[in-house]
Amino acid sequence: MANILAYRKTMTIGEGGSALAFVALALLSIVIAAKAYTPEYAFHAYLFSAAGVAAVFAIINRYYERPAEAPPLTIDGKPNYNMGPVKFSAVAAVFWGIAGFTVGLVIALQLAFPVLNFDLPWTTFGRLRPLHTSAVIFAFGGNVLIATSLYVVQRTCRARLAGDIAPWFVVLGYNFFIVIAGTGYLLGITQSKEYAEPEWYADLFLTIVWVVYFLVYLGTIMRRTEPHIYVANWFYLAFILTIAVLHLGNNAAVPISLFSPKSYIVWSGVQDAMVQWWYGHNAVGFFLTAGFLGIMYYFIPKRCDRPVYSYRLSIIHFWSLIFLYIWAGPHHLHYTALPDWAQTLGMTFSVMLWMPSWGGMINGIMTLSGAWDKLRTDPVLRMMVVSVAFYGMSTFEGPMMSVKIVNSLSHYTDWTIGHVHSGALGWVGYISFGALYCLIPWLWNRPLYSLKLVNWHFWISTIGIVLYISAMWVSGILQGLMWRAYTGLGFLEYSFVETVEAMHPFYVIRAMGGGLFLAGALLMAFNLWKTVNATVSEAPADLKLAPAE
C-alpha cells in the first residue's frame, strides 16, 4: 500500500498553477471581449480566451498521459535533454521566415508598383511594413534565437532545461504573441513605435513570457554539470536580460481602459524619441547582434570541428560590445531636437563600436584556421562564414554612417535601408540559415537531405542580397544628392516627386533581389522538410562531406 501511494500521480505546482492562470486568462478575456470598445480588440480578446482554454486542456491531457515520476535529469549518467521546445521553435522559425520574406517581397513590389496596395486598409504598405519587420526580426529571428539558445545552454552545460511546463510556455507563448502582434498590424492596432508596434496588452503578455524565458535559461545554467560557462551563453544572457530592460523602458504606457486597445506612452516629445532609439538601436545591438553572436560562437566551431580561435578575445569582445552598444542610440537622431551633446555622444560610441565588432568578426573567421579547406566542400559552413563577413561589413558601415557629415547625406534615404538589409539578410539571415541546417539534422538525428540544395540556396540568395543592397546604396546616395541640389538662384533643383520617380528602377531591382532571397529560403524549407521526413535509404548520395583534394 505504501508503495502504491508513493507512486500515485499528483499534479505538480507548475501544472496546477499554470492551469489556474490560464483559466483566469480565459475568463478575463471573455469579459473584455464582451465590453471591448472596438471589434478588433474584441477579436484579440477572443484569441486570448481560446488560447487560455487550449492551454488548460493541453496541461490536463499532458498530466494524464505522463508517467507519475518527473523526467529524470540523467539517464545512464548522461544528461536527459529536453529538445521538444527546441524542435517546435526551429520549425516555427522556418515557417515565420517564409512568411516574413514573402511580405517583404510584397511591400518591395508595392513601392515599385503602388497599385499593388489594392486600396484596401489591411493590405497597404503602412500596415504590411511593420508586419514584415516584426515577422523577420521577432518571429523568424526570435524563434531562431530561442531554439538555438535552449539547445546550446543544454549542450554546453550538460544539463536538462529547467522547468517542465515553463519551456513550453516560452515557445508557445512567444509565438502566440507573434500572432497577436501580426494580426494587430493588419487590423490597425499599433502604438506607432519603431520595432515596438504592439499595444499594451500584447507587450504585457510578452513581458511574462520573456521573464519565464530568462528564468528557464538562468535555471539551466545554475544546474549545469560543466564548471565553465561557455562564451555563447554569456551572449545569450546579455541578449535576454537587455531586451527585457529595453522592452520595459520603451513600452511604459498607460492604457485608456482595460476594454480599449489604446494607450499613451509615459514619455513625450524629444524624451520619447530618445527612449525609442535607445530601444531601437539596442534591439539591433542585443537582439540582432548579441544573440546571433551566441550562435556564431557555438555553431561555427562545432561545424568546422575547431576550437574558438581566441577565447580571451571572445571575452574582450563580449564586455566591450555590451558596454559600448547601449550608448549608440542617439546617432539615429542627428539634426533633430535632441541636444547636440547627446547626438555627439551617440556618434562617438558608434565609432568606438567598430573595434569590438571587428574583434568578434576576426574571432569567428579565424576559428577556421586549419580547416579552410572545408569551405570548398561544406556550403553550410560557407554560409555561416559569409554571414560573419557581412557582420564585419555592416559594423564598418554603421559607424561610418553615424558620423554627422556622412549622416547629413544618408539620413532618411534608402542608403539606410541598404545598410540595414546587408546586416539583416547577410549577417542575421545567413547565420540563422546555417544554424537551422545544423540544428534540424541534429534534433531529428538524421543527415541533411541535400548539400547540393544548400549550395543552390547559398548562391541564389547571395545574388539576391547583392542586387538588393547595391540598388539601395545607389538609390540612397542618389536621393541624398538630389534632395540637397540647388540651382544657381538658390532654389531646390528637384521636386520631391522627381526624386521618387528616379527611384523606380532601383525599387524594381530591390524586389528582384528580395525574390531571389525568398526563393533560396523556400529551397531551405524543402531541404529541411525532406530531412525530417525522409528515411536514411531515401537520402541522396551527397550527404557526406567530401575531403578537399
Side-chain angles (χ1 to χ4, degrees), residues 111-140:
L111 288 175
F113 309 102
V115 69
L116 295 176
N117 283 263
F118 299 120
D119 288 330
L120 299 171
W122 50 85
T123 58
T124 58
F125 179 89
R127 293 194 182 181
L128 291 183
R129 190 264 177 181
L131 181 67
H132 162 64
T133 55
S134 290
V136 294
I137 296 172
F138 299 116
F140 170 65

Side-chain angles (χ1 to χ4, degrees), residues 93-106 108 132 135-137 140-141 144 292 383-384 386-387 390 418 420-434 436-437 453-469 508-526:
V94 177
F95 171 79
W96 288 121
I98 299 298
F101 303 150
T102 302
V103 176
L105 176 59
V106 170
H132 162 64
V136 294
I137 296 172
F140 170 65
V144 168
F292 289 93
M383 185 171 279
M384 289 194 284
V386 169
S387 80
F390 269 108
V420 168
H421 282 80
S422 69
L425 304 180
W427 158 236
V428 174
Y430 270 10
I431 198 70
S432 298
F433 295 153
L436 289 170
Y437 279 127
L453 284 179
V454 179
N455 206 37
W456 275 100
H457 178 193
F458 173 80
W459 287 111
I460 290 173
S461 56
T462 297
I463 294 170
I465 293 172
V466 171
L467 287 175
Y468 191 116
I469 61 179
V508 173
I509 295 171
R510 168 171 65 176
M512 291 171 55
L516 290 173
F517 194 82
L518 173 61
L522 289 170
L523 279 180
M524 178 191 72
F526 173 77

Side-chain angles (χ1 to χ4, degrees), residues 62 82-86 88 164-174:
R62 185 175 182 274
N82 181 8
M83 292 301 178
V86 180
F88 181 91
D164 187 28
I165 298 292
W168 281 108
F169 173 70
V170 170
V171 298
L172 294 173
Y174 185 79

Side-chain angles (χ1 to χ4, degrees), residues 472-522:
M472 290 299 95
W473 283 337
V474 174
S475 69
I477 294 171
L478 180 60
Q479 272 178 328
L481 293 174
M482 291 181 74
W483 287 348
R484 64 183 190 182
Y486 290 90
T487 65
L489 296 175
F491 296 103
L492 286 173
E493 188 170 352
Y494 302 100
S495 69
F496 186 76
V497 172
E498 288 178 301
T499 68
V500 173
E501 185 181 16
M503 297 304 106
H504 180 73
F506 303 107
Y507 285 174
V508 173
I509 295 171
R510 168 171 65 176
M512 291 171 55
L516 290 173
F517 194 82
L518 173 61
L522 289 170

Side-chain angles (χ1 to χ4, degrees), residues 139-296:
F140 170 65
N143 273 288
V144 168
L145 287 171
I146 290 173
T148 56
S149 65
L150 296 184
Y151 179 87
V152 169
V153 74
Q154 292 186 87
R155 299 291 298 191
T156 57
C157 294
R158 292 183 54 80
R160 183 180 175 85
L161 276 179
D164 187 28
I165 298 292
W168 281 108
F169 173 70
V170 170
V171 298
L172 294 173
Y174 185 79
N175 281 277
F176 180 71
F177 161 77
I178 296 298
V179 171
I180 291 295
T183 54
Y185 301 152
L186 296 177
L187 295 171
I189 300 176
T190 173
Q191 63 179 0
S192 303
K193 291 175 76 70
E194 186 79 5
Y195 308 132
E197 286 93 349
E199 268 289 1
W200 65 271
Y201 57 95
D203 287 335
L204 185 60
F205 180 74
L206 178 61
T207 300
I208 298 170
V209 172
W210 206 260
V211 168
V212 175
Y213 179 28
F214 175 71
L215 293 176
V216 168
Y217 199 90
L218 193 62
T220 307
I221 289 177
M222 291 175 66
R223 64 161 52 159
R224 69 188 185 278
T225 57
E226 288 286 339
H228 184 74
I229 301 177
Y230 184 61
V231 67
N233 292 314
W234 287 103
F235 280 96
Y236 281 127
L237 271 176
F239 139 67
I240 298 169
L241 183 60
T242 310
I243 290 299
V245 174
L246 296 168
H247 176 75
L248 292 172
N250 189 49
N251 291 293
V254 180
I256 290 178
S257 164
L258 182 63
F259 306 109
S260 171
K262 180 61 182 170
S263 64
Y264 288 102
I265 299 295
V266 300
W267 319 109
S268 62
V270 73
Q271 287 83 9
D272 186 31
M274 181 64 253
V275 173
Q276 161 59 35
W277 283 110
W278 166 76
Y279 164 88
H281 190 74
N282 287 296
V284 174
F286 288 86
F287 199 97
L288 297 177
T289 301
F292 289 93
L293 285 169
I295 297 176
M296 180 195 81

